[in-house]
Amino acid sequence: MVAVRVEASRGWGWIVEGWRLFAQAPGIWLLIMLIYFGISLVLAFIPFVGTLASVLLGPVLAGGMIYGAAQLAQGRPLEIGHLFQGFKDQDRLGPLAVLGLIGLAGGFAAGLVMFLFMGGGLMLGGVLDTTGAIIPPQTMTGIFAGAGLLALLFILLISVLIGMAFFYSVPLVMLAGQYVWPAVQDSIAACWINFL
């Protein structure tokens, strides 16, 4: 894929084109979304494993919806089974699941940042308490607020990078048959040059 810069107004064009695809088969799209949310809901009730499965399967199911939209755009009918096209196409299943792993790694990194900042704050408080140092509450509040804002900034950065990585990589893997890493790189590049 060659990423190109487009005008911000092109976004409205994409929304209109997306609406046209939805309007061609609204009932089937709604059923697909209900099935997707139903799967997500069932997985949410399974402790730990369900969350992992949801993150790993998200790109596979999203790839199926993108496949269905591409079929509609080519004049073919949309089918409920298109939601599961990522599972049917064995050449795409692995790469789409790897995209899920990347999302999982991003979530883990964000959680680790939060844990380190919270744990570091608690350790700092414990160390200061054991040394008997007298620090005004306003100073401690400022330190913890600053650390919290820094943690939030890192988490936001990780979230933006993961979002940029996923924005085009799922369609590139599902429709163009790209490998995972080039698709992620192309997705980030396309988002970066069109960030504003």
Side-chain angles (χ1 to χ4, degrees):
M1 177 182 96
V2 177
V4 295
R5 185 184 305 260
V6 296
E7 297 295 323
S9 60
R10 184 64 188 104
W12 180 250
W14 289 326
I15 291 170
V16 170
E17 290 163 19
W19 177 256
R20 285 185 188 142
L21 289 176
F22 174 77
Q24 289 180 29
I28 297 175
W29 277 121
L30 291 174
L31 278 173
I32 286 173
M33 290 309 297
L34 283 173
I35 293 168
Y36 177 82
F37 287 129
I39 292 169
S40 298
L41 188 64
V42 167
L43 290 174
F45 282 110
I46 304 171
F48 187 69
V49 175
T51 303
L52 292 177
S54 182
V55 173
L56 288 175
L57 297 179
V60 180
L61 294 171
M65 287 187 272
I66 289 167
Y67 179 84
Q71 293 298 301
L72 269 177
Q74 294 169 7
R76 298 186 188 102
L78 177 67
E79 301 170 7
I80 294 172
H82 286 153
L83 176 63
F84 305 104
Q85 187 64 32
F87 294 102
K88 295 176 193 173
D89 187 344
Q90 293 300 307
D91 292 336
R92 303 282 52 91
L93 178 59
L96 289 168
V98 170
L99 286 174
L101 281 173
I102 292 171
L104 189 64
F108 178 77
L112 184 62
V113 167
M114 183 59 79
F115 175 77
L116 289 175
F117 275 94
M118 289 178 67
L122 291 173
M123 284 178 54
L124 176 64
V127 167
L128 291 175
D129 189 46
T130 58
T131 61
I134 299 172
I135 298 175
Q138 297 87 350
T139 303
M140 288 303 294
T141 301
I143 290 171
F144 286 125
L149 287 174
L150 192 57
L152 187 61
L153 181 65
F154 277 119
I155 291 169
L156 183 62
L157 178 65
I158 291 168
S159 300
V160 167
L161 282 173
I162 292 297
M164 289 170 68
F166 273 84
F167 203 78
Y168 293 110
S169 61
V170 174
L172 287 171
V173 167
M174 188 69 201
L175 301 179
Q178 270 194 315
Y179 292 110
V180 173
W181 190 241
V184 167
Q185 289 175 314
D186 287 346
S187 181
I188 290 172
C191 289
W192 182 255
I193 66 172
N194 288 290
F195 199 78
L196 294 178

